[in-house]
Each structure stands twice: as C-alpha cells, then as structure tokens.
Amino acid sequence: MNQRKHNRDIVRALSMITQLGITMLVPIVLCFFFGRWLDSRLDTGCFMIIFTILGIMAAYRNLFVITKPLLKGEREREDEAYHRKSESMDHKE
C-alpha cells in the first residue's frame, strides 16, 4: 500500500512538472509568433519583442496561479506539524 502511494506521488509530481512547463511555454511561443506575424504584416520590428515580453509575463502569472494553492497547502501542513509538535512538548512538561 505504501509503495502504491509513493508511485502515485511520483506520477502526480511528474504531471505537475509537465503542466508547469506547458503552461509557461505556450504563452511565450504564441506571443512570439503572433508578434512576428504582426511585424511581417505591418512592416515593423518591435511587435515581436513586445509580444514576447507579454508572453513571458503571462507565463509567470500562470506559474504563480498554479503554484499558489500548492504552496498554501504546504504551509498549512507545516503549521499543523508545528502545532502538533508544540502541543506534544506542552504535554511533556
């Protein structure tokens, strides 16, 4: 049973890494190509840079939105472990 839970945790972590990679890559690539297309249509040279920067900003925003609940859950588990430890220390005294 413990091995099964361990395997499930590994699969969950790998899927999270894959999701983070795709979530960061897609907005950057789409904005880059959209900016390049816009530059070719309008005969300019600045839209590719502007849209690439916007894509990077969108990717980091997505990264923050996805990881915030995970970090919140981790912090709650740490707080719970700290309270359990402090309660057990109180009972020993």
Side-chain angles (χ1 to χ4, degrees), residues 20-70:
L20 291 174
I22 291 171
T23 302
M24 288 193 68
L25 187 65
V26 169
I28 295 171
V29 170
L30 288 178
C31 287
F32 171 80
F33 284 114
F34 180 71
R36 201 169 95 176
W37 176 79
L38 213 58
D39 280 340
S40 69
R41 296 285 281 180
L42 300 175
D43 248 359
T44 60
C46 63
F47 285 115
M48 183 186 72
I49 295 169
I50 292 170
F51 277 94
T52 302
I53 291 171
L54 287 174
I56 292 169
M57 290 170 37
Y60 277 107
R61 183 220 171 256
N62 291 343
L63 181 69
F64 177 74
V65 167
I66 289 172
T67 57
K68 187 176 178 181
L70 296 174

Side-chain angles (χ1 to χ4, degrees), residues 68-78:
K68 187 176 178 181
L70 296 174
L71 295 175
K72 183 179 179 186
E74 182 66 29
R75 187 177 302 134
E76 288 172 354
R77 284 191 294 274
E78 288 174 359

Side-chain angles (χ1 to χ4, degrees), residues 4-17:
R4 196 172 192 180
K5 183 177 179 343
H6 179 69
N7 289 342
R8 191 176 316 143
D9 290 342
I10 290 173
V11 169
R12 195 173 289 154
L14 287 174
S15 68
M16 179 57 67
I17 291 169

